[in-house]
Amino acid sequence: MEIPEILLQKIAEAEHVAILTGAGVSAESGIKTFRDPDGLWAQLNPAELASVEGFMANPQLVWSWYRHRVEVINDAKPNPGHYAIAKMQDMFPKFTLITQNVDRLHHRAGSRKVIELHGNIVENHCFDCKSPFTGDTALPDGHLPVCPICGGRIRPSVVWFGEMLPVDAIEAAEEAAYSCDVFFSVGTSAEVYPAANLPVTAKRNGAFVVEVNPNFTVLSGYVDAKLAAPSGEALPVLLDEFGKYKKFIEESL
Ligand code: OAD
């Protein structure tokens, strides 16, 4: 895979690199994406499984799906794309990692600070009093976890459709998009807002915007560079080429 020289130059000069990731970065870990032909939303109904209305209507169904997803995620391992992103956190004066993923694989790959726009699937809290819940949620089907403080319903700490994103997370993500020099959109269809606005904000504010995605997205015609390959292949190659480029520049000074 060819890495455009302009991209190597831009990241060599960058004071602040920001990365937005989506489900595609975890695809090579065996976790299904949402909107690909074999993705979750091709078979399942997001209104039933990922909305407050769906949870209220059938909490048993929602819990059995989340329990299944937690099992899949617990069995999965970070892939070379996650590890390359973790390496990048120490390569630039400033670095921001923003994810739409709830799987915590960035943390497990060693990323120290991750802005989680859509929450995470490993924590739970009370729907009513919002207290964190650390008890067992792996109850037999038909049994629902209950808040020991107020008796309310326990829910996964993810953001569902129609819900607000955590304010601190979206503010920090927007600030990074405004101020970064290079912005990577990795493994996302860029179809879900407000996350999908971040690459646009970055570009409007002068950042060099790069897409890493084997497929065409709504963003593909808009970006300054595209690495059309799976992130687990493209990002390690990028880091490798960047290392060679920096060495060459240093030696020619
Ligand atoms: P999508 O499923 O919408 O998009 C995944 C993207 O990853 C697609 O553009 C694929 O082409 C790309 N892709 C697939 N394999 C890849 C690989 N190995 N390397 C790089 N890219 C690859 O997932 P998201 O954009 O993350 O929200 O979806 C955004 C939100 O929609 C999710 O956070 C979730 C979902 O509904 C909520 O649940 C609130």
Side-chain angles (χ1 to χ4, degrees):
M1 192 193 44
E2 185 98 356
I3 306 288
E5 191 172 336
I6 179 76
L7 169 57
L8 298 173
Q9 193 186 325
K10 290 286 177 187
I11 56 177
E13 290 165 358
E15 287 289 318
H16 182 184
V17 170
I19 299 189
L20 169 70
T21 65
V25 81
S26 295
E28 289 150 276
S29 295
I31 298 176
K32 282 190 178 216
T33 62
F34 296 94
R35 290 174 189 77
D36 285 308
D38 62 344
L40 293 171
W41 296 156
Q43 294 133 24
L44 304 168
N45 181 353
E48 275 179 9
L49 296 168
S51 75
V52 171
E53 294 74 20
F55 179 68
M56 287 305 181
N58 195 344
Q60 275 90 353
L61 175 74
V62 172
W63 264 115
S64 65
W65 188 57
Y66 276 91
R67 277 186 208 118
H68 167 70
R69 286 181 69 197
V70 168
E71 277 170 23
V72 170
I73 284 165
N74 284 343
D75 288 345
K77 291 190 177 64
N79 68 58
H82 295 109
Y83 287 115
I85 291 171
K87 268 193 198 155
M88 289 170 85
Q89 71 194 340
D90 296 319
M91 289 172 52
F92 308 99
K94 190 165 179 204
F95 178 81
T96 307
L97 174 58
I98 307 155
T99 190
Q100 298 164 86
N101 298 347
V102 295
D103 58 29
R104 291 256 159 121
L105 287 180
H106 285 303
H107 297 75
R108 284 165 59 191
S111 286
R112 292 186 295 272
K113 197 163 173 230
V114 188
I115 299 174
E116 293 181 314
L117 292 179
H118 294 164
N120 74 80
I121 204 171
V122 299
E123 292 174 331
N124 305 288
H125 66 270
C126 175
F127 195 91
D128 295 332
C129 75
K130 318 289 178 223
S131 302
F133 177 78
T134 52
D136 194 7
T137 57
L139 304 176
D141 277 348
H143 291 76
L144 293 173
V146 172
C147 178
I149 298 168
C150 77
R153 291 175 182 197
I154 300 300
R155 58 165 289 175
S157 296
V158 297
V159 175
W160 282 327
F161 284 103
E163 290 191 299
M164 296 282 289
L165 270 56
V167 176
D168 290 358
I170 188 65
E171 281 182 2
E174 279 170 354
E175 170 54 32
Y178 274 114
S179 60
C180 68
D181 306 303
V182 178
F183 186 98
F184 285 86
S185 178
V186 181
T188 175
S189 61
E191 287 187 20
V192 173
Y193 288 84
N197 269 332
L198 296 169
V200 179
T201 300
K203 181 141 165 115
R204 285 201 183 132
N205 286 278
F208 188 84
V209 178
V210 190
E211 182 174 59
V212 182
N213 195 316
N215 301 311
F216 191 83
T217 74
V218 285
L219 209 57
S220 300
Y222 184 76
V223 295
D224 299 297
K226 165 119 186 177
L227 304 183
S231 45
E233 291 172 27
L235 292 174
V237 173
L238 172 66
L239 294 197
D240 206 36
E241 292 297 315
F242 182 55
K244 290 184 205 155
Y245 178 82
K246 266 180 71 178
K247 199 161 170 250
F248 172 73
I249 297 291
E250 279 157 18
E251 282 169 5
S252 19
L253 288 177

